[in-house]
Amino acid sequence: MKIFIDTANLAQIKEAASYGLLDGVTTNPSLVAKEGKNFKQLLQEIVEIVDGPISAEVVATDYNGIIKEANELAKIHENIVVKVPLIKDGIKAVKKLTEEDIKTNVTLCFSASQAILAAKAGATYISPFVGRLDDISFNGMDLIKQIVEIYKNYNYKTQILVASIRHPLHVVEAALMGAHVCTMPFDVIEKLFNHPLTSIGLEKFLKDWEKSNQ
Ligand code: G3P
């Protein structure tokens, strides 16, 4: 399973990339706005840090506007994946962008029916938001299970990119289900490393070693 970081923060991207396990980056308009930097310049910097898919979202909501923005974003670097919202004009645009070999990530997916449309349009990735579904008392991981099954049934090529991840259990469950990618905030990447028995065990090994006077 690929691990992407869900942020536009350069320090976090650099730190996560330094572990050697980072496969890509996803951003969204809220994450970019938080950084207070020029969007395209920020993307230029991100592509230099991570050699993998970098999702950059359009803000247009009409077909022509989405296509125009998508072409501008795709021109920045070959690793840019254009993130498009799961609305009618978005899906129409994804179909067209796929024909033009522009990679897409269909975002704001909250149902299996939406995921079917994205796959039929030829999206490179579908981003179901699990945490936001959990927030409204629907088990977000149930949606991932459904999409995995549906995509397998029809051999759809669209990769399932589990988004809106809030904790390591989301990551483990996604891996058990066979999702292709998990994108997560920096703090969740950090948490993947941790186990109290590892810390306790290491402390004991080092203390015992010290006692041996070697
Ligand atoms: O980037 C899309 C998604 O991962 C957003 O997550 O935490 O804002 O629901 P969140």
Side-chain angles (χ1 to χ4, degrees), residues 6 26-28 31 83 107 129 131-132 163-166 183:
D6 194 28
T26 50
T27 65
N28 64 39
L31 293 171
K83 220 168 165 186
T107 188
F129 279 27
R132 293 193 195 183
S164 184
I165 279 181
R166 301 278 158 80
T183 190

